[in-house]
Amino acid sequence: MCSRTKIENSGQMELEETIRNPGFKDVDDGGSAADTSSSGTGERRDSTAVKLDAAAEEYTQLKPYAGMPKEVLLLHSSRARYRVPREILFWLIVCCTLALVAVTITIIALSPPCLSWWHITPVYQVYPRSFRDSDGDGVGDLKGIKEKLDHFLDLNIKAVWISPFYRSPMKDFGYDVEDFMDVDPLFGNMQDFEELLAEMHNKGLKLIMDFIPNHTSDRHRWFNLSRTKDPHYKDYYVWTDCDPASPKPNNWVSIFGNSSWTYDEVRGQCYLHQFLKEQPDLNLRNPYVVQEIIDLISFWLEKGVDGFRMDAVKHMLEAAHLRDEPQVDPDMPPELVTTEWDLYHDYTTSQVGLHDMLREFRAVMDDYSREPGRYRFMVTESYDYEEVDKTMMYYGTPLVKESDFPFNFYLLDLPQNTSGWWAKHLVDLWMSNMPSGKWPNWVVGNHDRPRIGSSAGRMYVRAINLMLLTLPGTPTTYYGEEIGMENINITQSQVQDPAGKYNVSLSRDPERSPMQWNSEKNAGFNTQTNKTWLPVHPSYETVNVEVQKEDEGSVLSQYRFLNGLRQSELPFLRGWFCYVLSDTNVFSYLRELDGHKEAYLMVINFGRGSSTTDLSAVKELPNELRVLMSTNTANNQKVFQKSRIQTEAGEGLVIRYSTYTRFHPSHPAQCYVSEKACYLETVGILYKC
Ligand code: GLC
Ligand code: MG
């Protein structure tokens, strides 16, 4: 009832309004409406007639439909000349909207997943003691790293992993952490860290921290509370009863040699340490400890770090039963079992529950990854040697994410047998075992392994960088590899590394020498005093950043060129990777993308002599092949017949060729791709195919 009254009233008002505004009078077919008005409200019209007539004239000109009653308007609007365009417009809008929605859905459905920053850039490892010393004490520091950020930009490297700089007694040079929430004074302070991070972000660089979940320093507050049996902390480490006279509750050995148990006088028990005795293993079976780790991860994520390199993850859990591990040689007298190679590590590595824990850490990182461009990256460190499957588990499952990738250390074995087929074998160890759809990665050096330039030989340095930067996936470059740095020689008296204290050949000092920036004092590492914590390599006058920057044919310039290529050319980032040939000398593979005319062929001679490679059987390759880049600059732009591609030992070629004929469809067993994508050249877009 109520609403009807309202409608009736408003109808009445409309009519009255119409009468006051005579504009409609002149409108076609408006007669009847005007008549109604004149009969209904004659008196009022008389009193205002003159005024209204004058205004009406003007009003009609300006607003012919203003105030027109609904009925009249409807009458007009239903005429074909209004109705038809209106309907056309209406359907046009409907169709366009539907088309837009459809196009959006199609684009989303057809686009291959976007690449994140860690797919695109190489990861550069900085060993902070050795990168750049800003205060002249002989040890590198955070301010030093900040001074050198442009070096990464020059190389087009956007991700920097910095080895530990937490407060530490430095028994294992920072891998023994006393306080995970503080910076060691040797490296600076928290403000230096925050300034470094801010400056890195300003420059578009990502900072990856090293994180050590397996152990702390024996000087950590938790360890002190644990050894005094504080009720909350007593189970923060792995303790067991043992005989103080022979503190070996079982045969487990430390990675640094000898028993992994040490008797603690204060508590009167033995504690486990899979590394140094000053690095007690945390008891990650204790949920409070796991929560502590999560809190620490959150602490640094909150500060804005872009990822973590998770240290020594396979050691995180140990079997609770503490049984002896089986000996590799069952006949070896047990007292001679002193190195990690003497035992099968069935109870001290890769225990059930390890991956669940890492996935929990990953989930925390995902919580911080929601903002666009703020993906937090995780890489795990686990040496599993011939047990590749164990390493691959760190990739997680299709449903549960874990590490973005576990470090691939297999190329570190390249020096064992420098040959084409061995290089192929090592590459294939990863490619053929990696779960499908995952992202590969390659490491040729780090702070724990001899520099590849020394172990493989200087002549292979360029070829190794060429391979590193043209394989599919993310390359990792240890500081100095971009200029071909080599190991320094260390005498027993110069040893700093605890791993080398008993046996100089096990020392990791040779690969940790100061970064070679220029030909000046201390290679530009420390420009203030004469101190350097390890000697500078004598080659520094020629092997350094400044000199190599000026030289187009230097290791550095080639690194920069290849890194530019892999980031700008789609076949390297998104394309197929196919083996073409491997023999005693040469390893050859190609990178191609469907729909992309340019493809790349790599021919790398890892052998000991020159080689002529015959690829005439590869019908997808054009007959003439032009070298885009050779590690031997004299051969740049050289043209080879595909039946006679010549390389010297240690020479690598990048050959660019044009064709739409693809290699992978006819050789599926030789090819890999993380995510299939095709290129639509006419519009320059990628789509799933
Ligand atoms: C990792 C580090 C190594 C360290 C060890 C113990 O393997 O790379 O340098 O000694 O963990 O933390
Ligand atoms: Mg452990």
Side-chain angles (χ1 to χ4, degrees), residues 213-215 238 272 274 281-284 312 314-318 348:
N214 179 64
H215 48 266
V238 183
L272 176 77
Q274 297 217 42
D281 268 50
L282 283 164
N283 173 19
L284 286 149
K314 72 173 181 182
H315 301 280
M316 279 164 60
L317 291 174
E318 299 79 26
T348 53

